[in-house]
Amino acid sequence: MQLVTMLTNRGLIFKLNWRLLLDILMGKCFIFFDRYSVFALGSSNYPNFCAFGHYVDDHLKDLGGKSILTIGEGDELNGQDESFREWAKNVFKVI
């Protein structure tokens, strides 16, 4: 199984997956997934650029998940759309 979720630039989790992801992160839900990848959105204007995405990535690793790609980062001030397209292209090559 592959886990896919999306994060907004303010660290809010995309509505369709928010409950599952929160349950996994809080240890309330144990789900087997063997591969995942995270693309974090943020603004380099803030000191903790993409911090929540990195938190999710680290936590999924701690739960035994295997990242199929290095975490992707999109900067709303510098080409986040292009960064996402490149990341997504690479994810779909792997899966």
Side-chain angles (χ1 to χ4, degrees), residues 4-71:
V4 177
T5 193
M6 303 174 85
L7 309 175
T8 72
N9 59 348
R10 290 171 184 82
L12 302 174
I13 301 169
F14 188 71
K15 191 174 183 179
L16 295 177
N17 291 321
W18 75 270
R19 190 70 203 156
L20 173 62
L21 184 59
L22 285 178
D23 284 347
I24 291 170
L25 293 176
M26 293 171 46
K28 292 182 180 179
C29 173
F30 295 98
I31 186 168
F32 176 77
F33 57 93
D34 56 352
R35 304 184 314 165
Y36 75 92
S37 186
V38 174
F39 185 83
L41 295 174
S43 171
S44 58
N45 207 27
Y46 294 94
N48 295 323
F49 175 61
C50 293
F52 187 71
H54 284 276
Y55 169 79
V56 169
D57 186 56
D58 291 342
H59 200 71
L60 292 174
K61 283 179 189 166
D62 290 346
L63 291 172
K66 306 283 187 269
S67 180
I68 59 174
L69 290 175
T70 302
I71 187 172

Side-chain angles (χ1 to χ4, degrees), residues 75-89:
D75 184 355
E76 72 177 348
L77 300 177
N78 188 21
Q80 75 181 13
D81 292 340
E82 181 58 35
S83 297
F84 177 77
R85 280 192 290 275
E86 185 66 26
W87 172 84
K89 181 176 69 173

